[in-house]
Structure formats: structure tokens, C-alpha cells
Amino acid sequence: MAREMILVLDFGGQYNQLIARRVRENNVYCEVHTALSIEKIRELNPVGIILTGGPQSVYKTDSLLPPVEIFNLGVPILGICYGAQAMAKILGGEVKSAQISEYGKTEVEILSESKLFADVEKKSVAWMSHTDRIFSAPENFIVTASTKDCPIAAMEDATKNFYAVQFHPEVVHTAEGMKIFSNFVNICGCRRDWKMSSFVKDTVAGLKNKIGGGKVLCALSGGVDSSVAAVLLSKAVGKNLTCVFVDHGLLRKNEAAEVEQVFSHFDLNFIKIDAGERFLNKLRGVIEPERKRKIIGEEFIRVFEEISKEIGAVDYLVQGTIYPDVIESGLGKSAVIKSHHNVGGLPDFVDFKEIIEPLRLLFKDEVRQAGRELGLPENLVNRQPFPGPGLGIRIIGEITAKKIKIVQESDAIFREEVAKGGIQNDLSQYFAALTNMRSVGVMGDGRTYDFAIALRAVLTSDFMTAESAQIPWEILNIVANRIVNEVKGVNRVLYDCTSKPPATIEFE
Ligand code: XMP
């Protein structure tokens, strides 16, 4: 059975991958392309086309428009924002600058029966972001929704299955957005049989085809993204993949052993470097946070450099870049943010021909899903974000072996109790950090003068801003008791209630 695909024609809007994601959520395969010729579109043979938003104005002569012939393909077409205006312009409607541009949540009212709005509330909130709007609909179109300042907020020619919405159904702020995508998928007559297992299967086949007998190198951090990328590659090229896992000694308790254990089950060359001593030596006496980060980053590259000299030239370097990294760094420049943000980002001295980023179009939860499909264990797949410099930036002041042990043990207790309390999925990130503060305590009958551990748990969707999570007091109480009783050198446990900004998530 031929694979059914919805094609997203990208006009440069901010949320375009989100559109693809909404289609995938409806179990339909989706590809995002920019500036395709009609021949190429015919070749792709989509069952439906979505025209995305974008920053241009359709009435400017140099604006990118879809090929006119798409309207003769006989497939349903949904235009969103700029895409809606492009549809209006091409089919004979009129688009002009709106006197009042709309930005943000706006009430939208459905005006008539429409397959696109099946089961959609008559009045609901939608996300608007436009300075142009459709002033007159093309012939045979009817207006199906409006807002206060946008009389043509949606229009359609149902006989041809052409639909256009001025608002953004793909963002969560549009209350009925998910239904609208589901309705469009129904209009396209989709079987809805695409699953993450299909992504895995197709990606592995594609990589096999591309790489052939080439050699591939992957720097593993033990995090979800690089692990999933590595396993995808191992399925495609087996022993032609070498994964290098540098243990800088600043990982969470048992993490290095867990990563090694997981990867021992896959068909690949796994090289683990125990470089803890080496990192500790470099970090001796260093207290300034940025210096610590620099030292850890540089040393990581040195270790990787040495090992890659032994491996020799490779054809491909694998990166676990995922879509949010691509957005953060500006499209097409993902390497910039990765090497800055991830220790062991892009070692530019490695002799390779091309970078492979198999997860580039996926969101984090989709990567986790792919990981499960590939047989990665749940504790790895659900791993929370962990910074490249590791515990190095969760130990305030000088890093010593003793302090690493204290923070590892405390963090393990915190994680264990969060899991027991069943709240791990409610938190975006949570960990223990070692403050540089020592204070007086009493244990048994004796005085202690020991360190204070700080616990941090945050809620965030983008990690750019965050709020402190309200962890149930019972859980905090158990964690505090266990830490002071079980971790030598700690006599006080504090909870960080600060949001970001003004604080950051990590302590350094
Ligand atoms: P901050 O502390 O900046 O952290 O609020 C935001 C998010 O980024 C993670 N983080 C890092 N991740 N390399 C990384 O790969 C780093 O150097 C780094 N510093 C912070 C942090 O864990 C949080 O999720």
C-alpha cells in the first residue's frame, strides 16, 4: 500500500514544524519543504497540502508563492495565515494590509457549517499573528469564520476542498486547533496508519542507503537525543558506527555504567573513556563558574581529539540535534548552538565529510517515542535534560571528588523519592546541587559543621523561563531526612523557590 503523505509547503513562518507535528499526531506521515516545483510536488504525490504562514506579503512582487498548478491536483489544500492569503491571491481574491493587525489570542466565531470545523465550538479562542488580511474571497468561496477585526478569518471552497484560515491552528493557544487538523486529515481521506515505528523504519532504510559502507562517528553524552541518534545509526550501519562516550566523572550516580550497559546490547563499536581523574586535575582550585565550564568543554574536546586520532578519518559525524535546537539557533545553523551549549558539541578537528542529524525534525517527546521503538530502556528514554558540564555546574566553588560523591548521592535520593511519589512526569527538571555553604547542625549529641544541599525542581516548556515547582511537602520532608541521614558531609537541605529569571535553572 502506498504511503500517504501530507505535504507542508513552508513559507518561513515560526510554527511550521509544529504544523508537521500536528499532522504526525494524527498518524499521517508529513514532510515540510520549501519552494518546490510542481513536478517535484507531483512526484511526492501528497494526499493533501498545507500552505504555512510566513513573514512576507503576497502582494509584493518578490514574495514566494506556491505553484499555481497545485490547485489543479485534485487534493485538499489548507492555507494557514500567509498560506491562506496566498490561496486567496492565486485564486482571484484580494489581500491587503490590515488596518488593524491582530496579535495574540482572539475570539473567533464559526459562521457556517464546514467539514474543517466539524465538532468545533461556535465561538473559541484562536491565535492570531498577521498584518495583512484577505479583503475579498475568491469566486465560489464562502466565508466560514470571522473575528472582530478580521471578517474573513476562514474561507473555503468545499467542492474543491480548498480551506483557508487566518489564525494559527497549530499553536496550543488555539483552543480548537487539534480538531481542525484532525478534520483536515479526514478531508484528505487519510487512513491514519503512520506511527513512530514507521519513522524509525524509514529513517534506518534511508540512512542505510545514504551511508552504504561508510564509517560513522558519534559522540555519546548519555542523554536521550544522542542515544536515540546512535541507535538509529547502529540499526543502519552496525559496526561501521563507533560511539565514543567520555565519562568526565561529573555524571549522575551510576549513569556511566547505565549507558555502557544499554549500549552493550546494540551492534556498534562502543568506546568508553574514563577521564574523571583528568578532569578533576584540570579543575583543581577553580571556583569561577565560567572558567569551570570552559575547562570542562575544552578538556572534553581534547579527549575526543585523542580518541578520534586513533579512529582515523570517518565519513560521517552524527549529531543528536532535535528541532528545538534548530529553532534556538536559527534555521540551518544548529551546529552553532550545539557546540556552544553541549559539551562535546561539534569537534571541528575531526576529519569527516558530512554531519548526519537524523532527529532534526522531531520534538523531544517524539524523540522519546522513537527511542522506545528502538528498544531503549524507559530510564534512558525518560531521562531529564542534563547539562554538558554535568555536576560541575551543580557544585558551587571548587570541585573535589568528595563533593562529587555528595551531590551524586543526594541527587540519587531526590530522584528516587520523586519517582516513588509518582510526580516525575509533572516536573520538567529536578536535581540536587551542592551549595558552598557550611553551617552548624546537631547529630546525635554532637555538633556538626557540614554542607547544605539545595534541591531544585522546575516547570518549564522552553527552559528559557521557568518556575519553581511546588513539590509536595511530604516528599521534600522524606528527601531532606534521607539526605542528612544517608549522605556524609551534609547536615542541611534547602529548597530553591526562585523562578528563572531572575535565577537560572542550573546554579552556575
Ligand atoms: P540555565 O541554567 O541556563 O539552564 O537556566 C537552562 C537549561 O539548559 C541546560 N544547560 C545546559 N545544557 N550544556 C547543556 O547541554 C550546558 O552547558 C548547559 N547549561 C545549562 C540546563 O540543564 C537547563 O535544562
Side-chain angles (χ1 to χ4, degrees):
M1 208 183 307
R3 180 175 68 184
E4 57 188 14
M5 186 260 269
I6 289 188
L7 170 65
V8 174
L9 283 181
D10 180 0
F11 295 99
Q14 284 174 63
Y15 315 120
N16 296 350
Q17 281 298 335
L18 210 44
I19 296 176
R21 190 217 159 98
R22 297 293 172 237
V23 175
R24 294 198 292 263
E25 280 171 354
N26 280 287
N27 298 105
V28 177
Y29 178 69
C30 182
E31 283 186 19
V32 181
H33 289 275
T34 313
L36 281 190
S37 66
I38 188 64
E39 291 74 29
K40 189 72 197 152
I41 294 173
R42 282 207 184 95
E43 217 174 279
L44 289 171
N45 194 23
V47 295
I49 298 176
I50 299 178
L51 312 175
T52 77
Q56 307 167 85
S57 287
V58 293
Y59 46 81
K60 299 239 168 87
T61 47
D62 55 351
S63 293
L64 183 64
L65 289 172
V68 180
E69 298 88 340
I70 60 167
F71 295 98
N72 298 324
L73 291 175
V75 298
I77 300 179
L78 170 65
I80 295 174
C81 194
Y82 178 86
Q85 296 160 10
M87 182 185 288
K89 153 111 190 196
I90 291 173
L91 298 177
E94 194 185 12
V95 178
K96 289 197 287 196
S97 170
Q99 284 94 355
I100 305 169
S101 52
E102 288 174 299
Y103 184 80
K105 289 182 181 174
T106 311
E107 188 179 77
V108 62
E109 183 175 358
I110 309 295
L111 302 175
S112 63
E113 282 274 306
S114 160
K115 276 199 259 175
L116 190 68
F117 298 136
D119 293 328
V120 166
E121 292 289 331
K122 196 165 171 353
K123 284 187 180 171
S124 64
V125 169
W127 186 257
M128 281 289 197
S129 174
H130 66 110
T131 45
D132 293 343
R133 68 174 176 84
I134 301 168
F135 274 73
S136 68
E139 221 180 295
N140 299 328
F141 271 70
I142 58 161
V143 177
T144 49
S146 68
T147 69
K148 187 162 90 34
D149 295 312
C150 186
I152 308 183
M155 61 174 198
E156 68 184 45
D157 176 349
T159 57
K160 297 208 163 123
N161 280 329
F162 296 158
Y163 301 85
V165 290
Q166 182 55 66
F167 53 89
H168 288 271
E170 69 276 21
V171 300
V172 286
H173 312 300
T174 298
E176 297 284 58
M178 308 303 136
K179 269 188 216 155
I180 294 174
F181 276 100
S182 175
N183 289 338
F184 183 66
V185 162
N186 285 342
I187 291 167
C188 295
C190 293
R191 296 187 302 272
R192 297 176 182 257
D193 55 3
W194 184 87
K195 298 185 213 68
M196 196 39 89
S197 55
S198 328
F199 167 83
V200 167
K201 207 166 118 237
D202 294 350
T203 307
V204 168
L207 288 168
K208 213 179 240 171
N209 212 2
K210 179 185 171 90
I211 298 169
K215 294 259 179 275
V216 187
L217 180 63
C218 177
L220 267 185
S221 70
V224 187
D225 307 341
S226 64
S227 299
V228 173
V231 176
L232 266 176
L233 262 299
S234 95
K235 300 265 178 199
V237 302
K239 284 276 191 302
N240 279 337
L241 168 69
T242 301
C243 287
V244 178
F245 174 48
V246 177
D247 177 3
H248 50 26
L250 298 162
L251 296 169
R252 285 167 286 205
K253 187 179 175 183
N254 296 336
E255 196 164 31
E258 278 168 24
V259 171
E260 194 170 10
Q261 152 77 9
V262 166
F263 280 90
S264 66
H265 299 301
F266 292 101
D267 183 31
L268 46 80
N269 299 309
F270 182 85
I271 302 176
K272 175 168 170 269
I273 317 284
D274 291 310
E277 277 295 313
R278 192 174 158 159
F279 277 79
L280 260 186
N281 286 338
K282 287 275 170 186
L283 288 163
R284 188 157 299 132
V286 181
I287 52 170
E288 211 269 308
E290 273 310 296
R291 279 276 312 132
K292 281 191 197 171
R293 279 177 173 272
K294 285 241 162 62
I295 290 171
I296 298 169
E298 274 169 28
E299 201 52 22
F300 196 97
I301 298 279
R302 292 290 87 78
V303 175
F304 203 80
E305 193 171 27
E306 286 165 25
I307 198 78
S308 61
K309 274 198 189 119
E310 284 168 32
I311 296 168
V314 292
D315 302 287
Y316 301 95
L317 191 70
V318 183
Q319 289 256 292
T321 317
I322 69 170
Y323 190 65
D325 305 328
V326 180
I327 309 178
E328 251 182 72
S329 55
L331 278 169
K333 293 191 200 134
S334 61
V336 179
I337 194 125
K338 275 275 153 180
S339 54
H340 157 82
H341 215 63
N342 271 346
V343 170
L346 185 60
D348 53 13
F349 53 85
V350 178
D351 191 4
F352 65 96
K353 281 196 268 184
E354 201 182 323
I355 297 176
I356 293 186
E357 298 173 312
L359 309 174
R360 201 182 159 72
L361 298 180
L362 300 189
F363 289 80
K364 192 82 178 184
D365 56 324
E366 293 181 310
V367 174
R368 293 192 205 277
Q369 226 179 310
R372 286 186 194 102
E373 291 293 337
L374 287 160
L376 283 168
E378 205 55 29
N379 66 348
L380 203 161
V381 164
N382 265 330
R383 201 159 264 180
Q384 39 166 336
F386 187 64
L391 302 180
I393 57 171
R394 294 180 182 172
I395 293 172
I396 298 173
E398 187 184 5
I399 299 170
T400 63
K402 188 175 154 213
K403 287 182 178 173
I404 295 175
K405 178 105 175 107
I406 289 180
V407 80
Q408 277 177 336
E409 295 297 332
S410 307
D411 185 68
I413 291 172
F414 188 26
R415 282 191 285 141
E416 207 179 298
E417 293 302 330
V418 162
K420 268 195 211 154
I423 56 167
Q424 70 273 39
N425 295 334
D426 305 337
L427 306 173
S428 313
Q429 196 172 5
Y430 54 99
F431 55 85
L434 183 59
T435 72
N436 206 17
M437 185 195 88
R438 291 170 80 195
S439 64
V440 175
V442 53
M443 266 211 188
D445 291 326
R447 175 187 191 271
T448 56
Y449 186 58
D450 280 333
F451 284 113
I453 276 285
L455 302 177
R456 181 122 174 94
V458 293
L459 305 178
T460 174
S461 54
D462 57 9
F463 295 88
M464 315 285 262
T465 61
E467 55 178 306
S468 173
Q470 295 192 21
I471 296 217
W473 181 249
E474 309 80 72
I475 296 180
L476 281 180
N477 216 359
I478 296 171
V479 175
N481 273 325
R482 280 195 59 193
I483 291 177
V484 290
N485 281 309
E486 295 172 35
V487 185
K488 204 161 171 297
V490 180
N491 66 354
R492 202 174 283 268
V493 177
L494 312 170
Y495 188 67
D496 184 348
C497 318
T498 337
S499 54
K500 170 187 179 179
T504 54
I505 296 175
E506 300 293 346
F507 279 57
E508 290 195 336

